[in-house]
Amino acid sequence: MSLRPWAIGLVLAALAVIVQAETRQFEMTIEEVDLEVAPGFKTKVWAFNGQVPGPLFHVQEGDDVEVVVQNNTTLNHTVHWHGQYQMNTWHSDGVPDVTQKAIEPGDSYTYKFKAIKVGSLWYHCHVNVPEHVGIRGMWGPFIVAPKNPSDLEKRVTIDAVAMFSGWNPEVADTYGEGGHPNEPISYFSINGKSFPMTQPLRVKKGDVLRLRLMAATIPVAFHPHGHDALVTHKDGLPLEHPYAVDVLNMAPGERYDVIIEMDNPGRWIAHDHYEHHVSNNGKTPGGAVLIIEYDSIESDDWYVWKDKKIEPDFYMSESMKKPYGLHNIAPFKGSEPAGQRRRR
Ligand SMILES: [Cu+2]
């Protein structure tokens, strides 16, 4: 029996779908560095690839992911891939003493899983979570692109990631301390920086902004001025009925994708509406604040960011446009640690 040309075409198309899933191999280290969060405030962190947030993972639905994680610090860590289903790969779920032995100093561990769940996921350490995740920066974004994006998703012109976290200055210099209930979290940041060290989000009229908001370690009430935000996804999952808000509440760990139509030229603040989250250790202005700048608006002499040095990839928008892979983000890099003090 000989195959007709259309049948051969069908077989080739089916094969193309099967081989489309790629194996993506990555290496990631954990480093001890100091992170400058706000003017005059640095804290010791354990940083994935030396940066906070950790590097951006961007893969496609169905990809097989392998990550070799090398621990270059003096304490144990793991990586939990928050949101991944880990079908038949539960040894890669990253929970110490439950799914693996923690990665000891100088050792590495290889995580392998299939990226089945689509959307805005993240990853974080799962050892002594209140300290390692809560105040030492052990978290980063993991975006899984759908094979068939919705019509709304196809309209997006700017894809941006914003991760919210808090910091405790009282233990900033001392590894092994902090992470206790009711500890004094008094710095609040977006992508590891507090205003005025955050960055503007630059847009033009007609842009469709997709903001992937992630409440990594603190509750957040996100409020963009001048615009409504259409909530389209919760924890990566598409909502059957997207809804519009002007304040979005997020509990720690939650992620929401919102789509904002850039239809109102101006200079607009977008901030966490927990009042003390817009301060730096009690002083305003500060905290989890960004500004949406339309390119058609002239700067003013009195504008707080008139001389701002722009980091175009601060919201990972540049990296999100690159081919799939692991992307290090330069402005997230920590610095050489000073004055090591460690308590075990
Ligand atoms: Cu850790």
Side-chain angles (χ1 to χ4, degrees):
M1 183 190 101
S2 66
L3 281 175
R4 288 165 191 274
W6 61 264
I8 293 170
L10 263 183
V11 169
L12 287 176
L15 273 175
V17 167
I18 292 166
V19 299
Q20 218 179 15
E22 292 200 26
T23 299
R24 301 192 188 274
Q25 293 172 308
F26 304 117
E27 291 176 7
M28 187 165 73
T29 65
I30 307 171
E31 310 287 343
E32 294 186 352
V33 298
D34 289 356
L35 185 74
E36 187 174 22
V37 172
F41 172 55
K42 279 188 177 182
T43 183
K44 294 206 168 297
V45 292
W46 292 297
F48 294 113
N49 278 2
Q51 64 172 72
V52 179
L56 168 71
F57 287 79
H58 190 199
V59 305
Q60 195 178 34
E61 176 181 5
D63 284 351
D64 291 300
V65 179
E66 288 186 26
V67 191
V68 180
V69 177
Q70 168 73 34
N71 180 4
N72 292 337
T73 76
T74 58
L75 286 180
N76 291 358
H77 305 283
T78 62
V79 184
H80 167 57
W81 309 92
H82 189 126
Q84 304 287 354
Y85 293 131
Q86 302 289 4
M87 300 288 283
N88 303 312
T89 56
W90 62 269
H91 278 112
S92 288
D93 198 43
V95 180
D97 304 322
V98 177
T99 66
Q100 68 171 96
K101 278 176 64 186
I103 314 170
E104 296 188 354
D107 283 355
S108 66
Y109 189 88
T110 302
Y111 294 91
K112 293 186 187 183
F113 54 91
K114 189 178 266 300
I116 297 168
K117 185 169 176 174
V118 166
S120 300
L121 313 183
W122 64 306
Y123 59 95
H124 58 81
C125 182
H126 222 290
V127 174
N128 186 5
V129 172
E131 186 191 358
H132 294 212
V133 181
I135 59 168
R136 300 280 177 214
M138 296 200 74
W139 36 266
F142 196 114
I143 311 294
V144 183
K147 282 197 169 144
N148 298 304
S150 68
D151 289 344
L152 189 55
E153 287 173 287
K154 285 182 197 159
R155 288 187 52 232
V156 168
T157 58
I158 303 175
D159 207 328
V161 182
M163 303 188 79
F164 294 77
S165 66
W167 309 94
N168 177 359
E170 292 188 1
V171 297
D173 295 334
T174 316
Y175 283 123
E177 290 192 358
H180 302 301
N182 302 318
E183 72 178 314
I185 299 296
S186 58
Y187 284 90
F188 308 89
S189 51
I190 300 175
N191 292 346
K193 302 289 180 204
S194 304
F195 184 86
M197 290 185 68
T198 45
Q199 286 278 326
L201 243 170
R202 290 208 161 150
V203 303
K204 60 181 185 301
K205 190 175 181 207
D207 270 337
V208 179
L209 171 66
R210 177 188 198 153
L211 257 178
R212 299 173 186 268
L213 301 164
M214 303 189 181
T217 75
I218 54 171
V220 173
F222 183 74
H223 174 42
H225 287 200
H227 303 75
D228 287 331
L230 186 69
V231 182
T232 63
H233 295 71
K234 158 83 168 87
D235 301 335
L237 301 166
L239 300 182
E240 198 170 333
H241 300 289
Y243 59 96
V245 296
D246 70 14
V247 175
L248 179 65
N249 271 289
M250 300 191 282
E254 284 190 317
R255 290 92 59 214
Y256 287 87
D257 290 12
V258 300
I259 286 184
I260 307 179
E261 306 278 347
M262 292 294 123
D263 57 4
N264 188 9
R267 197 184 295 138
W268 303 100
I269 198 168
H271 64 92
D272 189 341
H273 223 289
Y274 280 89
E275 279 80 8
H276 66 292
H277 290 189
V278 292
S279 66
N280 291 341
N281 207 19
K283 293 197 179 66
T284 60
V289 170
L290 65 87
I291 297 170
I292 295 173
E293 295 179 357
Y294 279 73
D295 67 353
S296 54
I297 302 301
E298 298 271 312
S299 195
D300 291 291
D301 286 347
W302 42 261
Y303 177 38
V304 63
W305 273 351
K306 76 177 166 56
D307 298 320
K308 182 76 176 170
K309 180 174 174 279
I310 302 299
E311 301 279 5
D313 207 17
F314 186 81
Y315 298 100
M316 310 182 213
S317 307
E318 303 291 311
S319 290
M320 284 295 293
K321 283 187 253 172
K322 292 178 186 165
Y324 295 120
L326 177 152
H327 303 291
N328 292 310
I329 315 275
F332 299 162
K333 279 274 177 198
S335 57
E336 274 295 300
Q340 297 276 13
R341 277 207 299 147
R342 273 186 220 104
R343 205 172 285 189
R344 304 291 166 83

